[in-house]
Amino acid sequence: MKIPPLLFRTMGAALATGASLALTAGVLTAPTASSALQPAAPAVASTASTLPDLGFSLNGKALSGPVSPAHYRTLSEMSPGTVWARVGFNGDGDWRKNVDEYLGTIHQAGMKVLLRASFRGAVYNKKVPLNAAEQARYGDFVRDLAHYVKTKHGLTPDDVVFEHPNESNGLVSGADYAAAAKNAYPKLKAVDPGFKIIGASENVYASNWKTWLQDVYKAGYAKASDGVSFHNYDPQGDRSKYDFLESLMKQHGHWPAMVWLTEFGTTTVPGAKGNGSAAAGRAAQSEAGQATRITSVLSFLRDEVPWITHAFVYADEDIPSRKSSDRFEAHFGIFANDSQGTITREKPAVQAIRNLYASTKSADARQVGPAPVVTPTPAPAPASAPTAPMAPKPGATQTLASFSLTSAAPTTTGSGVTVSPVTGVGFRTAPKFADFSPAYGRKVLQTNPSTTSPRIDAAYVETVLTASAPSSTVRVESIQFKATRGGDAQPRGLVVVAVVDGVAKTVLTQSLPTQRPRLTPFSATGLGLEGKEVRIRVYPYSPVHTATVEMTDLAITGRVNG
């Protein structure tokens, strides 16, 4: 069959198209009083699967209409989790001006950025080969781009992941591509060791796509990137291409690594009758068929290929006729626009995507924590004999302390116990009780670790629980966080230590998964920590000092005895 032109496009222009996890301490690590800890084993995912983080390849000003803050905000609100914008630049022309125009609007909308750094247009136009000089020039561009977005726009490894260019359909050999990536990799890490870059961006419809990708890896690509970006416009149901990629990455020691599907979707050429089924292949779809196709692929990734953690719809909007004479290429957007590129309406895919992610969030919420206990409603007391709320009986299990972490002060404290505010010790910057991202719409305790490994001789936050009566003791049975956040581009983690009457005891060492779900709740239960004073300390760690670890809604349960 004839392959759609989209699937062979190149990058001549400066801008291109641009679960919860429950963790239980009792099975993760044995308590130890050692001050130097070994990393815990990787967390085991629950049986509930998670949709990939949602992203959009932006057509943007070069291919469509003006940059629209309102449109980008709409994109950012289509999933309750992180939403990513994919946009690309090359070193030709005034790339800094283009970066300023797009990144400011994307960041203000609350989206994160997959930032593609492309070869010069002369390479794509066959005017110059990707020789050693061009490879070095590309590496310099990656370095300069990373430095600019970090210093001018304040983007951290939490905010941005970089991407090597699209595979250029035979114009660049696999060996030359890998050589350019190897030139760029150390230059990127010199700007910030936390920055990640993925690539190969293989077009799986080129006749030589497997051999090209094999050549890339034979030339050392595994040591030149943090993972792979992959393009696949197949409908749901066929794992063969993903299985090949997994096998190749394992063969070259590049597993596990980041694997993102950075382009997928389907065109809605007017008059197309496709219903979104797998049998329709890569043919044009009706708008309803596009909605079915996109949500089916996302569900397929969730259920069958969960190691693909991010999926980018191509594209956010159509290309107006004045920008493209190719009707097939022009209608991949999930938003329609007019001849000037101004958004006019949503296609059905927009609401279908919203519904899919909203329903998954609701399902995840139902799976977190024990089922509610239903108790009979007591008869009301006589009006003449009002009763006051009763305090827990001595020794009864209760919430000893809870913190929403919108401030340092406890939200509630138990009966018979005194609780101190959360304080921070030894951090590079003071812990912040603030929004870590406007897109998430909630506040957390945000810390900047001073260690890159799980250790208890580093910075920490703590609260102190003290029995109010001289003859009483506090017994802590469980420590729970409703949500913690590690990061999109690197693994991080927490060490929880209890200091009972001056004696330290490690109760939890746990990494927070790379490419984590937005909410990562965990709990340490069955602790039995009893004393006059119990200090709960949390030591965050990160592979780089500049990265943050965040947590919210701390609850400590137990009893007051005596």
Side-chain angles (χ1 to χ4, degrees):
M1 63 180 291
K2 181 181 179 181
I3 302 302
L6 162 77
L7 307 177
F8 289 95
R9 65 178 174 278
T10 61
M11 281 291 300
L15 172 71
T17 59
S20 302
L21 192 63
L23 312 177
T24 306
V27 297
L28 293 173
T29 179
T32 174
S34 171
S35 62
L37 305 174
Q38 295 299 317
V44 178
S46 66
T47 55
S49 53
T50 303
L51 286 167
D53 276 7
L54 182 64
F56 299 97
S57 223
L58 303 183
N59 270 342
K61 185 175 180 180
L63 292 176
S64 192
V67 175
S68 169
H71 173 54
Y72 287 2
R73 285 194 299 271
T74 298
L75 294 176
S76 74
E77 295 167 357
M78 287 181 61
S79 164
T82 305
V83 176
W84 289 74
R86 179 175 181 253
V87 63
F89 306 93
N90 63 28
D92 295 335
D94 190 357
W95 60 265
R96 292 173 178 82
K97 179 181 178 181
N98 292 330
V99 168
D100 291 343
E101 183 172 11
Y102 285 90
L103 291 202
T105 306
I106 289 168
H107 203 51
Q108 289 170 11
M111 289 190 287
K112 297 189 177 185
V113 185
L114 177 60
L115 190 58
R116 188 169 65 257
S118 294
F119 301 137
R120 290 197 307 141
V123 173
Y124 287 107
N125 295 332
K126 299 184 181 181
K127 293 181 179 179
V128 298
L130 189 61
N131 53 24
E134 281 296 322
Q135 293 163 13
R137 187 168 184 167
Y138 174 70
D140 291 346
F141 171 59
V142 171
R143 176 200 62 207
D144 295 345
L145 179 63
H147 183 266
Y148 188 74
V149 301
K150 179 177 181 178
T151 57
K152 175 67 182 293
H153 291 276
L155 298 189
T156 71
D158 267 346
D159 305 311
V160 60
V161 169
F162 294 83
E163 186 181 23
H164 289 132
N166 287 357
E167 187 276 324
S168 51
N169 303 312
L171 297 179
V172 173
S173 71
D176 288 344
Y177 186 99
K182 288 191 287 186
N183 190 289
Y185 196 65
K187 294 176 181 178
L188 173 71
K189 298 295 184 177
V191 175
D192 191 318
F195 278 153
K196 304 290 185 182
I197 190 165
I198 60 179
S201 298
E202 181 53 271
N203 171 359
V204 300
Y205 305 104
S207 60
N208 67 333
W209 76 272
K210 289 184 178 180
T211 56
W212 185 88
L213 200 53
Q214 288 169 333
D215 290 344
V216 170
Y217 269 101
K218 288 177 183 177
Y221 188 70
K223 296 182 179 180
S225 80
D226 300 292
V228 170
S229 56
F230 200 61
H231 300 174
N232 188 0
Y233 287 82
D234 280 352
Q236 70 286 358
D238 182 3
R239 282 195 50 162
S240 60
K241 295 181 176 69
Y242 302 117
D243 289 343
F244 172 81
L245 176 62
E246 179 181 0
S247 176
L248 182 65
M249 293 177 71
K250 288 180 176 178
Q251 177 185 343
H252 290 274
H254 205 199
W255 189 275
M258 301 163 65
V259 184
W260 293 15
L261 181 63
T262 55
E263 285 188 21
F264 81 103
T266 189
T267 186
T268 61
V269 175
K273 304 297 184 183
N275 62 4
S277 66
R282 295 185 297 276
Q285 302 292 300
S286 68
E287 291 189 359
Q290 180 193 51
T292 299
R293 173 69 60 81
I294 289 173
T295 53
S296 295
V297 168
L298 289 167
S299 298
F300 172 76
L301 295 175
R302 175 195 63 198
D303 298 335
E304 300 292 334
V305 201
W307 43 266
I308 294 183
T309 59
H310 294 63
F312 289 73
V313 176
Y314 181 82
D316 66 318
E317 61 177 305
D318 287 342
I319 303 173
S321 56
R322 66 189 180 87
K323 293 274 187 171
S324 174
S325 59
D326 186 336
R327 296 174 74 247
F328 192 95
E329 166 77 12
H331 291 89
F332 272 81
I334 59 172
F335 287 82
N337 50 26
D338 61 20
S339 61
Q340 299 306 309
T342 301
I343 301 293
T344 56
R345 63 180 177 86
E346 300 176 356
K347 296 181 185 178
V350 174
Q351 190 58 46
I353 294 169
R354 288 192 187 111
N355 292 344
L356 177 64
Y357 278 84
S359 65
T360 300
K361 178 186 178 185
S362 299
D364 288 345
R366 289 194 297 271
Q367 293 165 0
V368 174
V373 177
V374 179
T375 57
T377 302
S384 59
T387 58
M390 295 181 62
K393 295 179 180 179
T397 300
Q398 59 174 315
T399 299
L400 298 173
S402 65
F403 297 81
S404 66
L405 297 182
T406 56
S407 71
T411 306
T412 62
T413 58
S415 177
V417 63
T418 301
V419 182
S420 75
V422 173
T423 57
V425 177
F427 288 95
R428 294 163 62 89
T429 59
K432 292 184 264 187
F433 300 88
D435 292 327
F436 61 78
S437 170
Y440 287 84
R442 69 176 191 275
K443 296 190 176 185
V444 299
L445 171 62
Q446 182 181 73
T447 61
N448 193 338
S450 59
T451 180
T452 60
S453 62
R455 300 165 24 197
I456 62 172
D457 57 346
Y460 61 87
V461 293
E462 79 169 2
T463 185
V464 183
L465 291 78
T466 308
S468 300
S471 59
S472 297
T473 57
V474 176
R475 182 179 178 86
V476 173
E477 296 290 357
S478 71
I479 303 165
Q480 299 176 326
F481 283 101
K482 180 179 179 181
T484 57
R485 178 175 182 265
D488 289 314
Q490 58 215 12
R492 302 170 200 176
L494 300 174
V495 179
V496 179
V497 172
V499 183
V500 182
D501 293 337
V503 178
K505 182 177 183 179
T506 302
V507 298
L508 173 66
T509 300
Q510 181 56 52
S511 61
L512 303 176
T514 305
Q515 315 306 339
R516 82 281 176 274
R518 185 172 71 93
L519 296 177
T520 306
F522 72 83
S523 63
T525 59
L527 301 179
L529 307 166
E530 186 167 358
K532 288 291 299 177
E533 177 189 87
V534 180
R535 294 175 177 262
I536 304 300
R537 291 181 178 172
V538 181
Y539 294 78
Y541 63 91
S542 168
V544 293
H545 293 308
T546 55
T548 57
V549 176
E550 295 134 347
M551 57 208 82
T552 189
D553 296 344
L554 168 63
I556 304 169
T557 60
R559 304 194 297 269
V560 176
N561 294 327

